[in-house]
Amino acid sequence: MEPLPQRYRQLFPTVRTHTMLASCSQSALAEPVSRAIKDYHDSLLLMGTNWNEAIEKTESARNEFAKLIGAEPDEIAIVPSVSDALVSVASSLSGFRKKHVVYTEMDFPAVSHVWQAQSDYTVSVIPTIDRGLHPKQYEKDITDETVLTCVPHVHYRDGFVQDVKAIAEMSKKKGSLLFVDAYQSAGHIPIDVKEWGADMLAAGTRKYLLGIPGMAFLYVRKELADALKPKSSAWFGRGGFDAAYATGARRFQTGTPAFISVYAAASALSLLNHIGVSRIRDHVKTICADACQYAADKGLQLAAAPAGDQPGMVAIRDERASETAALLKKKKVICAPRDSLIRLAPHFYNTKDELRHAIDEIAAVFSAR
Ligand SMILES: Cc1ncc(COP(=O)(O)O)c(C=O)c1O
């Protein structure tokens, strides 16, 4: 089978001039996605209204995301961001007697922001050890009093991949619901919510899902969704103007979605499902393993030892990461710095040589210091 970059690179104009390695923040824009954005714009410009088409696109984005994670469309809500998804989830738990929530040091800060604002809850934060987290570490903190456990599938700083299935089994045993933040994995690492036994999962569209900001998806297991009454819910979360909660995860929706982002997402997700996330994972894994070795051979320090599941990014230690990223940008190498790490986050359109080129440029910056 033809390698993925050769087959699909021509869809991404930016990669002709830039080394695009920032999928953990914003991936390159594909031509079909760009056309979808333009379609939304043109329908307003040339036809004046596009409400029905926009609603259809919303359903098609929902269907594609459901397919991507092994869920049913009724189990997917369209929300403005991952942060909003978690706020809606928090607003739906007041009916439970239990008021203890667990999350991890590996979670994106928005998770702790949401729970710090919920004064009714006590929280436990599971620390990382050697930059990783073993499922066993959850055993002590998830108790019979835990209503919800929040875990990231992939660490946003260094790409560490968690064993969500093992964590889900443990949280179920203790009677806790499980919320998975899949923003750093959806689109390049396979997800099967049913196989995992996850209760809820969220992912936004601008990273590996190839879309733009303004929307995210929230999965809520059907039977669970029907039993919850989110306080953060409004007319897009109802069956009609006067009706009560919609069935399934739709009840977690509030107002009109950012349709322009919806158009982009529907097109991007259809491309991803067409290619298949397992193929993408195989490719990204292979080029990242090569890049980790290449960087280590050059004496660069990697953030996480590539033990366990191979991370889908290469995170290089650098106390001046932002400054380095700005210098790389001048050389048309686009990456995403975070704290004291330079993150090189490829997708299916990237090649092994592009990662090596970025590493060469980083090594050149270091040796010029
Ligand atoms: C893992 C993870 N979760 C959540 C967020 C926040 O997403 P949003 O801005 O959609 O709330 C980010 C943003 O970078 C992230 O990387």
Side-chain angles (χ1 to χ4, degrees):
M1 204 181 281
E2 196 180 7
L4 288 178
Q6 272 88 323
R7 173 86 180 78
Y8 293 103
R9 263 175 92 77
Q10 85 285 357
L11 295 181
F12 296 86
T14 332
V15 306
R16 287 174 212 145
T17 51
H18 291 71
T19 305
M20 283 294 294
L21 292 168
S23 292
C24 59
S25 173
Q26 171 71 63
S27 52
L29 194 68
E31 262 164 0
V33 181
S34 163
R35 275 198 300 276
I37 293 169
K38 194 160 177 305
D39 282 350
Y40 177 75
H41 168 268
D42 287 354
S43 62
L44 280 183
L45 188 71
L46 306 174
M47 296 189 296
T49 177
N50 58 9
W51 184 265
N52 292 342
E53 293 83 349
I55 296 294
E56 275 170 30
K57 276 285 183 231
T58 309
E59 292 316 304
S60 116
R62 191 192 312 277
N63 293 345
E64 293 286 354
F65 186 72
K67 191 169 161 194
L68 191 94
I69 65 163
E72 294 299 321
D74 276 354
E75 298 180 303
I76 309 295
I78 308 277
V79 293
S81 68
V82 169
S83 305
D84 283 283
L86 192 54
V87 168
S88 287
V89 167
S91 86
S92 73
L93 300 179
S94 56
F96 287 86
R97 179 194 56 78
K98 302 195 280 185
K99 301 286 174 205
H100 175 243
V101 168
V102 171
Y103 59 92
T104 77
E105 222 174 59
M106 222 182 243
D107 273 289
F108 191 76
V111 173
S112 94
H113 300 151
V114 169
W115 289 112
Q116 278 162 19
Q118 312 294 318
S119 51
D120 295 351
Y121 293 85
T122 57
V123 299
S124 299
V125 185
I126 304 182
T128 54
I129 296 175
D130 292 337
R131 300 183 296 277
L133 246 178
H134 192 277
K136 277 204 174 317
Q137 285 173 254
Y138 288 84
E139 197 128 33
K140 181 169 77 62
D141 288 295
I142 307 177
T143 72
D144 297 344
E145 287 305 304
T146 307
V147 62
L148 184 73
T149 301
C150 299
V151 299
H153 182 195
V154 163
H155 193 181
Y156 70 98
R157 293 179 80 244
D158 61 23
F160 181 84
V161 185
Q162 294 217 81
D163 182 349
V164 177
K165 193 173 176 197
I167 300 164
E169 276 163 16
M170 185 175 310
S171 71
K172 197 169 179 189
K173 220 164 34 188
K174 303 266 184 117
S176 164
L177 297 171
L178 184 73
F179 171 92
V180 182
D181 178 347
Y183 207 170
Q184 289 291 344
S185 59
H188 74 115
I189 302 188
I191 293 172
D192 187 332
V193 282
K194 303 293 172 185
E195 220 237 340
W196 283 353
D199 296 296
M200 306 171 189
L201 174 143
T205 50
R206 82 184 156 92
K207 302 181 194 287
Y208 297 89
L209 290 184
L210 305 179
I212 58 173
M215 83 177 268
F217 298 99
L218 169 64
Y219 158 80
V220 185
R221 184 168 52 77
K222 175 85 168 61
E223 308 76 51
L224 174 65
D226 285 342
L228 296 176
K229 294 189 167 66
K231 289 183 182 155
S232 173
S233 171
W235 73 296
F236 267 71
R238 307 290 152 145
F241 273 131
D242 308 319
Y245 284 119
T247 55
R250 281 181 176 80
R251 63 181 56 192
F252 285 82
Q253 299 178 156
T254 52
T256 309
F259 286 137
I260 195 154
S261 309
V262 166
Y263 272 59
S267 165
L269 280 156
S270 134
L271 176 62
L272 288 168
N273 279 328
H274 171 75
I275 298 169
V277 177
S278 296
R279 278 180 78 197
I280 294 174
R281 172 66 173 148
D282 287 346
H283 172 72
V284 169
K285 219 171 161 172
T286 306
I287 61 174
C288 283
D290 174 82
C292 286
Q293 190 57 56
Y294 189 74
D297 290 347
K298 287 200 165 260
L300 302 186
Q301 269 207 321
L302 295 170
D309 221 354
Q310 170 70 48
M313 75 161 72
V314 181
I316 293 166
R317 295 189 167 282
D318 177 13
E319 288 308 320
R320 291 153 72 180
S322 297
E323 194 185 309
T324 305
L327 290 170
L328 293 183
K329 193 173 169 199
K330 287 189 184 155
K331 304 228 167 180
K332 298 192 188 319
V333 174
I334 311 299
C335 63
R338 176 70 73 191
D339 309 326
S340 54
L341 292 171
I342 304 170
R343 299 176 303 171
L344 304 177
H347 214 321
F348 61 90
Y349 46 78
N350 291 115
T351 63
K352 180 177 92 175
D353 288 346
E354 282 181 307
L355 272 172
R356 287 186 173 208
H357 169 63
I359 290 164
D360 286 342
E361 291 293 349
I362 292 167
V365 170
F366 288 1
S367 57
R369 272 185 187 147

